[in-house]
Amino acid sequence: MVVSSAPGKVYLFGEHAVVYGEPAVPCAIERRARVTVEERDDGALRVHSTDLTLDGFTVEYDGAADASADVDVPEALVEAAVGYVDAAAAQARDAADRPDAGFDITIESELPLGAGLGSSAAVVVAGIDAATRELGVQLSAREIADRAYRVEYEVQDGQASRADTFCSAVGGAVRVEGDDCQPIRDVPNLPFVIGYDGGAGDTGELVAGVRRLKEEYPFAADTVESIGDLVRQGERALEAGDLEELGRLMNFNHGLLEALGVSSRSLDEMVWAARESDALGAKLTGAGGGGCIVVLDETEEARTALSYTPGCEETFRAELDTDGVRVEER
Ligand code: MEV
């Protein structure tokens, strides 16, 4: 039996535009998915989850996914979760050259599903690490990131960047532009606060919506390019440790994402509550549509304001996690 864990992430800048080759800066946070893998000799795959939003969910299958889980979450989310785990198991079999290996997989996650904190990437990264180790193979963090990216690419119908999976595999703050993925060294202390509306967005649908908009309206394509320019400016602010400029650029980034149609009323309400509490900046994080915002605030004000915001279900401080994927038990 092997237990591996991998961190979730927030986007300081650049989600969505990164899918079209613009740079993005995701940052790993100290909230993790833990995946336990034990080999089975009958070749089947059994998945059990105690995830925040999939509590008590168990699926057993040997090929075709039966996602009829007895849980109070949209069927599409359960199917997507099963799809990610299935594809991660296939990557582990391929890496270990054990096409018939079966697994018992248990997922415990501190990351709500589909809420912009990189839950699927963390589960896939930790799952590939634990399953390959269980089969006696040890992959580097970069190899795990690459295989996890292939899983996201497959499950999201070819609409995925390397950002979430690379960040989860190596930890810390990273820069992703197309296939070029690099850790960012000497990052200043980033006082992140998260606001969570209790909801979720469908990443595939949201990415497809931006693609359609971009194809229909040249100014939507310009908006995507403007996000790229903003990220380059943000990288300079990050290097200079200029938190005020980072906050201003986060506000700008949220406005551009809103223009691309990926925000929601509750995300906007949380962003405005944080801004009115004098936070340095606030934006949605991840695919959008519902889920989480990320705020830069050195004080307790934003957290207090968010805790009184009707659309906000949970708010917490998130520290940058400099560790990526790691073995917890074996
Ligand atoms: C989702 O967490 C981030 C997106 O940019 C999609 C991706 O990069 O694969 C919306």
Side-chain angles (χ1 to χ4, degrees):
M1 182 200 80
V2 180
V3 185
S4 295
S5 77
K9 58 102 233 304
V10 292
Y11 273 88
L12 189 55
F13 308 114
E15 54 273 88
H16 282 288
V18 69
V19 175
Y20 308 100
E22 299 294 344
V25 179
C27 301
I29 56 167
E30 282 183 346
R31 282 215 162 194
R32 294 190 155 245
R34 275 166 63 96
V35 180
T36 304
V37 178
E38 188 151 18
E39 191 180 355
R40 291 169 71 107
D41 4 325
D42 61 0
L45 189 56
R46 182 179 178 281
V47 184
H48 176 70
S49 171
T50 54
D51 182 283
L52 271 185
T53 47
L54 281 182
D55 208 4
F57 142 77
T58 304
V59 186
E60 196 158 350
Y61 58 103
D62 47 10
D66 164 15
S68 57
D70 176 24
V71 284
D72 185 21
V73 285
E75 186 78 9
L77 269 187
V78 178
E79 274 171 26
V82 171
Y84 285 115
V85 178
D86 197 17
Q91 284 295 332
R93 290 188 191 105
D94 180 64
D97 200 16
R98 292 277 310 281
D100 299 325
F103 302 106
D104 265 326
I105 298 181
T106 302
I107 302 165
E108 297 159 88
S109 177
E110 301 165 340
L111 303 158
L113 268 186
L117 297 184
S119 60
S120 59
V123 166
V124 170
V125 164
I128 293 176
D129 187 57
T132 46
R133 284 175 190 271
E134 174 71 359
L135 298 179
V137 173
Q138 197 174 325
L139 302 178
S140 69
R142 277 194 181 262
E143 283 171 302
I144 293 170
D146 188 52
R147 286 188 176 273
Y149 163 66
R150 286 189 241 162
V151 169
E152 290 221 321
Y153 189 85
E154 186 185 315
V155 178
Q156 290 167 209
D157 293 328
Q159 307 190 95
S161 74
R162 293 181 178 272
D164 290 27
T165 40
F166 182 72
C167 184
S168 186
V170 306
V174 304
R175 176 186 205 274
V176 173
E177 184 171 7
D179 289 339
D180 183 33
C181 304
Q182 303 298 336
I184 303 176
R185 312 265 175 230
D186 303 322
V187 176
N189 180 33
L190 296 169
F192 289 136
V193 169
I194 309 295
Y196 172 41
D197 69 5
D202 182 326
T203 301
E205 250 176 46
L206 289 152
V207 173
V210 172
R211 185 180 298 276
R212 278 195 300 274
L213 214 56
K214 203 174 145 301
E215 282 165 3
E216 194 172 344
Y217 299 105
F219 45 82
D222 293 346
T223 304
V224 168
E225 279 180 29
S226 297
I227 293 178
D229 292 340
L230 182 153
V231 177
R232 282 180 276 272
Q233 180 116 3
E235 286 178 89
R236 290 192 284 277
L238 194 58
E239 220 170 281
D242 187 344
L243 295 190
E244 289 196 0
E245 174 73 349
L246 285 175
R248 277 192 291 274
L249 292 168
M250 285 169 74
N251 288 339
F252 215 131
N253 198 164
H254 182 77
L256 295 174
L257 288 165
E258 221 225 318
L260 292 174
V262 297
S263 192
S264 71
R265 182 179 284 266
S266 55
L267 293 174
D268 287 345
E269 276 168 8
M270 291 192 291
V271 161
W272 276 106
R275 284 183 191 165
E276 283 169 2
S277 76
D278 286 339
L280 295 167
K283 61 182 278 297
L284 69 83
T285 174
C292 293
I293 65 159
V294 55
V295 182
L296 210 57
D297 182 30
E298 288 167 308
T299 73
E300 289 304 302
E301 301 293 315
R303 258 202 309 166
T304 307
L306 284 168
S307 68
Y308 287 108
T309 304
C312 180
E313 196 172 289
E314 200 188 333
T315 177
F316 53 92
R317 202 166 262 297
E319 299 293 326
L320 186 74
D321 194 339
T322 49
D323 267 7
V325 62
R326 65 177 183 229
V327 185
E328 301 286 351
E329 268 177 66
R330 54 185 323 160

